[in-house]
Amino acid sequence: MSKRLITIDDLAAFTFAGSPALSADGTQAVYVVTKTDVKRNGYSSSLYCTDGEHAPRPLTHAYNGTGLEKHHSPCFSSDGMYVYYLSNRTGTDQVWRIPFLGGESEQITDFEDGTNDFALSPDGHKLVCQTTLKDKKGSDNPDVTVVTRLRYLQNGKGFVDGTTALYLLSIVDKHKELITNPHCDAELPAFSPDGCRLYFCMGKPHPDQNDYLLDLYAYDFSTRTTERIYKALGYIEDVKVSPDGQMVALAGNEDGECTPENISILLVPAAGGPAKNLTHNEHLSLGNFIGTDVRFDGGHNLIQWSKDGESLTYLVQDGAISGLKSIALNGVVSTVFMRKKTVMTSFSMSNDKIIAILSTPLSTGDLYFLGNGDTVRQISNHNQELFKQFDLNEPISFTYDGADNWKIDGWVLMPPKTARTSEKVPVVLEIHGGPAAAYGDSFNHEFQCLAAQGFAVVYTNPRGSRGYGAEFCAGCYGDWGRKDKLDILKGLDHVLANFPECDPDRQFVTGGSYGGFMTNTIVGTTNRFRAAVTQRSICNLYNFYGTSDIGYYFLTRYFNGADLWNNEEMLMQLSPIRQANRVKTPTCIIHSEQDHRCPIEQAEQWYIALRRLGVETRFVRIKGENHELSRSGKPRNRLTRLQEIIDWFQHYNSIALSPIK
């Protein structure tokens, strides 16, 4: 069969696998399969199941076929008879269950504002559900919104108008009881193995007067009492109780908010006390921070106890790849699964058996059963027939010297031969957001589309990226747009020097979020690029403090305590808007109107400044989208975004320009 070039529209043809869950005996698996519905302009998801020997089959189906149903967050009952999951089939996410061997789904919860998360008791008789308790309205006038919270915005949600609370619900009679303080956010419920206690994280009644960290609590079902067993000193990302019930393992840190420090395994006695950092000698952080635009994987397991309780298995990123390691209680670390050019996005472990979602530079991710000795069995292959059609190149990795001779990882994706129209090829520099994120050995649809249009694509992990240890992640703190910028540009220079087919006279640049900040910074300090596309960007750090949902606490940490009233000059000096009068590069600005992370006022400032200064500028505003447009926005809007990027670069690639100096 003859190959064809990948297209923008192929984004809507992918099937995405995620959120795997194993039965208690480790023999059966369920996972979430997500598909794009361009006609309805959204996504639907269902549960698939497999025993690891046979091809996966659908477990759930659309309830009425009229809407965009999403079935997600599955887990097995302890006896393996039922799979519990969240579904929006009645309008809001509620807990449902379905017999694993087949039958009809049954709705379990009916919370007014839906169910965000849940935990099933070991005996299968109870659920603990997280839902939202709405605040009392501050005005009877529906046109008026009264704000009293310090952190009152949330990207993807809008106004924060309630607290997340935990309810205990009887599956038999549906009786429910609030078990957490209604004035404090509560999350991450986890039952003890005997079902007698519930562990969870909960905040303070007045976090703006205290802190926004969530402490670890234990609720005793027999006495119906709650006690704090660990005062958090940083974020807690996951909670797992040991098989004997004597220890609670946390994935978290003890260094406050927005820290460059690693996510570690913290062990807390079930009776309470200080935490022991089990992974304090490890160089790498728990978690996978490798980004891509072809992933719908809601799996959030970071840690899992072994059956005997003598070790913990954890997800970890090492540069361009991610996988699993195990650490014994005595601190000895061993590798469970780490493979070249493979990124693990989620995993589930039960009875010492493991399943995971694995992706590569030429696959979006599928379900695998992991065996001993780094062996794997691929169980699903959802996009196999589609990928057989594509004429794709695999990115070429390289390492180079950045600023201060730091070793930096980079990649170049060359266009397929059938996409090349000349001996020399134009080059697009892509810059990731975060900055505590990363590129790696994942498939990127956007990059492959640019390559199919004849562009080479260069991308790097400059200082500030995750996956290289805490010191590397801290490398851009207090120094945005300086040495991190040099890291990025030196990567592009490396490609131009070592890949002679890349044309130094046709360079382009794009990035989103922090990558948009960096794009704005770059075009304000060099005219080497023919055109730029800046996405969900920042141009004014001073304004960002008060308009972003994370602004003030994110930037005070990143800029070593700098604030509006004591470091105005430093913040403005690092802001791209200060260099707007030096910009000559034609710039396309793409921004979502409901972006509360990098608010659209940042794009508006940049657009007005560039237009006033006579720079060729196009402002693409996208309604109904937030900061996640490129990853999970409405399909038509995602396709439009990609078309805007390609059209802008193709236009300035095709017109005759003087050589860049």
Side-chain angles (χ1 to χ4, degrees), residues 112-116 130-134 157 161-165:
E112 182 179 356
D113 287 292
T115 306
N116 308 321
Q130 185 198 55
T131 188
T132 301
L133 299 179
K134 294 290 188 182
K157 179 178 180 179
D161 57 357
T163 55
T164 54

Side-chain angles (χ1 to χ4, degrees), residues 635-653:
R636 293 177 202 160
N637 293 339
R638 293 177 70 187
L639 300 179
T640 296
R641 168 189 164 273
L642 286 169
Q643 195 65 60
E644 288 284 346
I645 295 170
I646 288 173
D647 287 351
W648 190 254
F649 288 158
Q650 286 289 35
H651 173 71
Y652 288 97
N653 182 49

Side-chain angles (χ1 to χ4, degrees), residues 263 369 374 425:
I263 300 173
F369 274 66
D374 201 35
V425 298

Side-chain angles (χ1 to χ4, degrees), residues 25-267:
D25 61 6
T27 62
Q28 306 290 336
V30 295
Y31 65 105
V32 178
V33 172
T34 301
K35 297 181 179 181
T36 304
D37 188 330
V38 176
K39 183 177 180 180
R40 292 190 175 104
N41 203 24
Y43 308 92
S44 61
S45 58
S46 57
L47 304 185
Y48 276 55
C49 60
T50 178
D51 60 3
E53 300 295 336
H54 300 90
R57 60 177 178 85
L59 180 64
T60 63
H61 303 271
Y63 192 59
N64 53 34
T66 60
L68 290 166
E69 282 191 28
K70 295 183 176 68
H71 308 163
H72 59 98
S73 306
C75 75
F76 278 90
S77 59
S78 296
D79 59 9
M81 295 293 292
Y82 289 97
V83 173
Y84 287 75
Y85 63 99
L86 291 176
S87 172
N88 68 343
R89 59 179 51 160
T90 55
T92 59
D93 272 354
Q94 303 291 349
V95 179
W96 292 65
R97 73 177 181 184
I98 186 170
F100 182 71
L101 295 179
E104 294 297 320
S105 288
E106 171 192 3
Q107 184 173 347
I108 305 298
T109 65
D110 62 350
F111 289 100
E112 182 179 356
D113 287 292
T115 306
N116 308 321
D117 189 17
F118 70 95
L120 178 65
S121 64
D123 63 9
H125 296 161
K126 300 185 288 289
L127 285 173
V128 169
C129 301
Q130 185 198 55
T131 188
T132 301
L133 299 179
K134 294 290 188 182
D135 295 337
K136 182 180 178 180
K137 290 184 179 294
S139 173
D140 294 330
N141 186 339
D143 295 333
V144 174
T145 299
V146 177
V147 174
T148 58
R149 298 171 181 269
L150 175 58
R151 300 185 185 181
Y152 68 94
L153 283 176
Q154 183 177 327
N155 183 65
K157 179 178 180 179
F159 290 109
V160 177
D161 57 357
T163 55
T164 54
L166 298 181
Y167 277 82
L168 175 65
L169 180 138
S170 168
I171 294 175
V172 176
D173 61 17
K174 301 299 190 291
H175 173 75
K176 53 180 178 277
E177 175 187 357
L178 178 66
I179 60 173
T180 58
N181 188 327
H183 305 294
C184 305
D185 286 322
E187 63 184 29
L188 298 176
F191 281 92
S192 61
D194 61 8
C196 294
R197 301 185 103 194
L198 180 82
Y199 298 90
F200 60 93
C201 295
M202 187 166 67
K204 286 84 173 172
H206 303 287
D208 54 319
Q209 300 172 17
N210 297 288
D211 62 58
Y212 281 84
L213 303 175
L214 275 62
D215 302 329
L216 181 66
Y217 285 80
Y219 177 82
D220 189 293
F221 289 105
S222 61
T223 63
R224 300 174 68 175
T225 57
T226 301
E227 64 172 327
R228 186 174 72 179
I229 63 171
Y230 168 69
K231 178 176 172 53
L233 301 175
Y235 286 147
I236 298 173
E237 310 282 352
D238 197 4
V239 177
K240 292 293 190 301
V241 187
S242 63
D244 63 5
Q246 298 302 302
M247 197 75 65
V248 182
L250 310 176
N253 71 76
E254 295 191 303
D255 190 42
E257 297 184 283
C258 306
T259 174
E261 292 300 314
N262 292 337
I263 300 173
S264 300
I265 296 178
L266 307 175
L267 295 181

Side-chain angles (χ1 to χ4, degrees), residues 289-291 317 319-321 400 407-411 430 432 435 437-441 459-468 472 484 487-488:
F289 303 88
I290 297 170
Q317 177 192 338
I321 64 174
Y400 64 97
K407 297 298 180 184
I408 308 295
D409 283 345
W411 295 263
E430 289 265 8
H432 71 64
Y439 289 129
D441 287 327
Y459 49 106
T460 69
N461 282 340
R463 68 193 63 211
S465 303
R466 280 289 191 184
Y468 301 90
F472 191 91
D484 48 358
D487 289 345
I488 294 166

Side-chain angles (χ1 to χ4, degrees), residues 583-604:
V583 177
K584 305 297 180 186
T585 307
T587 300
C588 176
I589 302 168
I590 301 177
H591 217 106
S592 300
E593 292 191 345
Q594 277 67 56
D595 189 338
H596 292 302
R597 185 61 38 82
C598 296
I600 197 167
E601 61 89 14
Q602 294 282 322
E604 291 167 342

Side-chain angles (χ1 to χ4, degrees), residues 286-309:
L286 273 67
N288 169 57
F289 303 88
I290 297 170
T292 175
D293 56 359
V294 287
R295 180 185 302 152
F296 281 86
D297 189 355
H300 55 260
N301 270 342
L302 289 180
I303 52 176
Q304 190 63 58
W305 286 93
S306 62
K307 184 179 179 179
D308 62 10

Side-chain angles (χ1 to χ4, degrees), residues 332-346:
V332 176
V333 175
S334 59
T335 297
V336 177
F337 177 87
M338 297 290 287
R339 176 173 285 187
K340 290 182 179 180
K341 296 186 178 180
T342 302
V343 172
M344 181 181 294
T345 57
S346 62

